[in-house]
């Protein structure tokens, strides 16, 4: 099926259980208010909104043994894993309406499992200001939204690394991290050690977003399942204030559009997380509207005469 006729399932994941600020639990509804479903339907996609997954409320406790809210994070991610795996098995393209970035543990472990079952090659494009490769030993905060990539590569508590049934869920070589500009000290050493492919803002400044994306998308072919994990803090805060963890010096509007357009050109997007949108920090829902605008581009809306 071509991406334009694909059936898309919107899956709300209203949680801030892994975050350092409350409020991303309101993200799914902000994306609906910004008309995500309607805009994708206009592009000719068949869109079904599954409503929201259900999980524990945020008790807002301090960390225990280097993790905050570990049991609740496991509950949310088990629900995400099961939902995403079922959608992919049914031939649908799941879009997670997050929710904080810990939900990628569930979604990507399900996508990796689906790829194993169908013989597809997985590539994950991690659009983010942060590497999200912390562990309980090196995390300054215990917030699990800073740990999903490490957990997916097998570095984390058993209850999280085992969610997809195979440990590790996937390997560092499937990831391409784009837009990175804030990495904790211990985390920096660890991502180098495991060899995650990182296109940080310094590199993007030096070679340009087009060349960086060409490298990140190299070798994507007809057998590739592309999963895009879009943390809204990837964007420069001047255009996207609605996140809890803004870091200045991110891609501007046109650079972000080009990233999405180049991913769309591959025609291989098979699943998507939209995470860390926090309406408590937003202004008149502008960040949600921008995220919807960019997701339209990710699914092929061209701004130019092409
Ligand atoms: Mn993130």
């Amino acid at each position: 099926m071509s991406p334009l006729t694909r059936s898309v399932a919107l899956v709300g994941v209203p949680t801030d259980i892994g975050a350092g600020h409350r409020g991303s639990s309101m993200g799914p509804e902000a994306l609906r208010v910004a008309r995500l479903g309607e805009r994708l339907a206009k592009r000719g996609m068949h869109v079904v909104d599954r409503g929201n997954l259900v999980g524990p409320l945020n008790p807002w406790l301090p960390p225990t043994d280097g993790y905050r809210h570990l049991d609740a994070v496991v509950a949310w991610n088990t629900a995400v894993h099961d939902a995403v795996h079922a959608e992919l098995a049914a031939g649908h393209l799941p879009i997670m309406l997050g929710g904080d970035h810990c939900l990628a543990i569930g979604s990507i472990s399900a996508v990796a499992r689906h790829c194993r079952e169908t013989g597809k090659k997985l590539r994950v494009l991690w659009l983010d200001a942060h590497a999200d490769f912390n562990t309980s030993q090196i995390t300054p905060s215990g917030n699990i939204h800073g740990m999903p990539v490490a957990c997916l590569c097998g570095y984390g508590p058993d209850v999280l690394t085992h969610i997809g049934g195979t440990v590790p869920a996937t390997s560092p070589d499937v990831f391409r991290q784009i837009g990175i500009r804030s990495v904790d000290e211990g985390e920096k050493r660890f991502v180098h050690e495991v060899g995650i492919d990182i296109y940080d803002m310094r590199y993007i400044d030096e070679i340009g977003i087009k060349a960086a994306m060409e490298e990140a998308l190299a070798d994507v072919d007809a057998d590739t399942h592309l999963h895009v994990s879009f943390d809204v803090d990837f964007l420069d805060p001047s255009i996207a204030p609605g996140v809890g963890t803004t870091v200045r010096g991110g891609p501007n509007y046109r650079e972000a559009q080009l990233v999405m357009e180049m991913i769309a050109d591959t025609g291989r997007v098979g699943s998507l997380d939209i995470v860390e949108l926090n309406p408590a920090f937003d202004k008149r829902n502008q960040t949600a509207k921008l995220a919807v605008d960019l997701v339209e581009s990710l699914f092929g809306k061209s701004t130019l005469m092409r």
Side-chain angles (χ1 to χ4, degrees):
M1 246 189 301
S2 97
L4 291 183
T5 55
R6 278 199 75 170
S7 160
V8 170
L10 306 182
V11 180
V13 191
T15 182
D16 49 17
I17 198 73
H21 296 89
R22 296 290 324 266
S24 63
S25 49
M26 299 185 283
E29 207 54 17
L31 290 165
R32 293 186 178 103
V33 170
R35 304 183 71 78
L36 175 64
E38 291 89 335
R39 299 281 286 276
L40 293 177
K42 260 193 174 168
R43 304 222 40 72
M45 304 172 95
H46 180 254
V47 181
V48 182
D49 191 335
R50 305 286 190 212
N52 290 343
L53 298 178
V54 177
L57 293 174
N58 193 328
W60 204 244
L61 300 171
T64 310
D65 302 327
Y67 302 107
R68 282 183 86 189
H69 313 140
L70 180 58
D71 293 348
V73 169
V74 172
W76 275 102
N77 277 285
T78 302
V80 171
H81 169 274
D82 294 353
V84 171
H85 189 256
E87 296 295 351
L88 290 169
H92 303 142
L93 189 159
I95 299 182
M96 251 49 58
L97 315 184
D100 74 83
H101 217 165
C102 84
L103 70 82
I105 298 169
S107 68
I108 295 176
S109 59
V111 172
R113 183 176 158 200
H114 175 75
C115 287
R116 276 193 301 278
E117 289 164 355
T118 56
K120 290 257 188 184
K121 285 191 299 189
L122 172 61
R123 173 141 328 160
V124 176
L125 299 172
W126 193 271
L127 312 181
D128 206 315
H130 309 88
D132 294 347
F133 210 88
N134 264 301
T135 65
S136 62
Q137 285 83 44
I138 58 179
T139 173
S141 68
N143 297 324
I144 298 177
H145 76 160
M147 310 182 186
V149 184
C151 286
L152 288 161
C153 293
Y155 306 101
D158 285 354
V159 283
L160 288 178
T161 57
H162 284 66
I163 279 177
T166 303
V167 188
T170 187
S171 51
D173 60 290
V174 310
F175 289 91
R176 303 290 182 276
Q177 296 198 321
I178 299 147
I180 309 303
R181 55 196 183 274
S182 173
V183 185
D184 299 315
E185 268 315 310
E187 190 185 17
K188 200 177 284 183
R189 282 191 296 276
F190 197 28
V191 289
H192 280 306
E193 201 179 300
V194 301
I196 296 266
D197 202 356
I198 298 185
Y199 302 82
D200 65 7
M201 286 311 298
R202 165 86 189 251
Y203 188 74
I204 291 169
D205 287 344
E206 288 182 350
I207 76 162
I209 201 88
K210 176 172 184 275
M213 288 307 293
E214 281 170 350
E215 289 180 22
L217 294 167
D219 309 320
V220 167
D221 61 23
D223 285 331
T224 306
H225 179 117
L226 265 188
H227 176 91
V228 180
S229 207
F230 173 31
D231 187 323
V232 177
D233 76 18
F234 166 69
L235 304 166
D236 193 80
S238 61
I239 56 169
V243 292
T245 49
T246 52
V247 186
R248 64 182 177 170
N252 64 27
Y253 179 76
R254 251 327 297 170
E255 288 167 331
Q257 285 287 9
L258 184 57
V259 167
M260 299 304 183
E261 290 164 3
M262 289 181 73
I263 299 170
D265 287 348
T266 68
R268 295 292 157 226
V269 177
S271 42
L272 168 67
D273 312 317
I274 309 169
V275 298
E276 298 288 345
L277 173 66
N278 189 330
F281 292 83
D282 208 0
K283 297 172 188 154
R284 304 185 71 86
N285 218 27
Q286 73 172 87
T287 309
K289 290 178 191 164
L290 173 59
V292 169
D293 197 13
L294 290 166
V295 170
E296 279 188 276
S297 298
L298 181 68
F299 290 109
K301 182 179 181 180
S302 176
T303 50
L304 298 172
M305 306 286 282
R306 296 215 178 174

